[in-house]
Amino acid sequence: MSNGSSTTQFLLLAFADAPELQLLHFWLFLGIYLAPLLGNGLIIITTASDHRLHTPMYFFLLNFRILDLGFISTTVPRSMTNSLWDTRKISFSGCAAEVFLLVFFISAEYYFLTFTSYDNYIAICKPLQYGPLLGSRVCVRMAAAAWGSEFVYAVLHTVNTFSLPLCQGNAVDQLFCELLQLFFNPRYTLCIAGMNGK
């Protein structure tokens, strides 16, 4: 993932300049982070440990909870540490990893929403065929296809995004590295033909 520019780090948006507000931001986001962390953790443990919950619906729910944990763990801890240590810097590779994980978790969620819709359709419209159409092997194959294809998609997306030459500045007006901000911020980043006045 080589890039011809000399940018080695980006500057993220600071939540506040005052140290008191930065501490407030840290504690607020810590509470916001711990609530889904504990809730999703309990759902994952319950679903995995109770054999009565080993049905397609709960299997997809388990995958949703893993996606949710991954998604929130991609952005919130970085924002909390930036507030706590009063820094705005993120390395080029850190930004690329954050974009990769965001793309991976967000796009994988679409697959699992589709699978859950299919599960509900089969349960309502074809209840007698539910077992053969959505057995455990089918569900595992669907999940493996989703995780695998989204990994490949996220790798390709991230490599293509960060292989573009960087234009101006290194400031990202967000609390995390967001793709739309990288592409459409007129003060920043990726030189695309016809964009950023080039």
Side-chain angles (χ1 to χ4, degrees):
M1 190 178 345
S2 66
N3 193 324
S5 71
S6 61
T7 301
T8 59
Q9 64 185 6
F10 297 103
L11 298 176
L12 300 175
L13 180 69
F15 185 75
D17 291 330
E20 299 83 19
L21 290 177
Q22 288 179 341
L23 281 176
L24 175 66
H25 172 252
F26 171 78
W27 289 109
L28 181 67
F29 271 54
L30 180 64
I32 290 171
Y33 180 63
L34 288 178
L37 191 69
L38 293 173
N40 288 329
L42 286 173
I43 291 172
I44 289 170
I45 290 169
T46 303
T47 305
S49 63
D50 190 351
H51 71 283
R52 293 173 293 171
L53 300 178
H54 293 176
T55 63
M57 180 178 76
Y58 288 105
F59 176 74
F60 294 131
L61 178 68
L62 175 76
N63 282 278
F64 271 123
R65 297 306 94 205
I66 292 170
L67 286 170
D68 194 31
L69 279 177
F71 182 71
I72 197 167
S73 295
T74 300
T75 56
V76 175
R78 160 77 58 192
S79 179
M80 289 173 15
T81 56
N82 286 354
S83 287
L84 188 62
W85 300 114
D86 192 25
T87 182
R88 297 175 47 202
K89 297 175 185 174
I90 184 171
S91 67
F92 185 84
S93 58
C95 188
E98 203 168 273
V99 167
F100 166 78
L101 291 170
L102 286 173
V103 169
F104 176 73
F105 289 123
I106 289 171
S107 52
E109 193 162 353
Y110 294 130
Y111 275 102
F112 286 102
L113 284 170
T114 304
F115 298 157
T116 304
S117 299
Y118 180 69
D119 172 52
N120 292 337
Y121 166 76
I122 297 298
I124 293 169
C125 297
K126 300 180 180 185
L128 297 177
Q129 298 174 355
Y130 187 80
L133 289 176
L134 274 176
S136 60
R137 283 188 175 180
V138 173
C139 291
V140 169
R141 285 183 186 149
M142 290 167 69
W147 289 107
S149 63
E150 287 314 310
F151 178 80
V152 170
Y153 172 72
V155 166
L156 292 174
H157 194 78
T158 305
V159 167
N160 285 331
T161 299
F162 285 94
S163 64
L164 294 171
L166 299 173
C167 289
Q168 335 158 341
N170 63 346
V172 180
D173 292 335
Q174 287 290 348
L175 297 173
F176 57 93
C177 287
E178 182 187 19
L179 274 178
L180 292 176
Q181 193 68 27
L182 293 176
F183 280 116
F184 299 115
N185 185 348
R187 293 185 316 144
Y188 174 67
T189 69
L190 302 171
C191 293
I192 300 174
M195 294 184 70
N196 292 337
K198 302 288 181 190

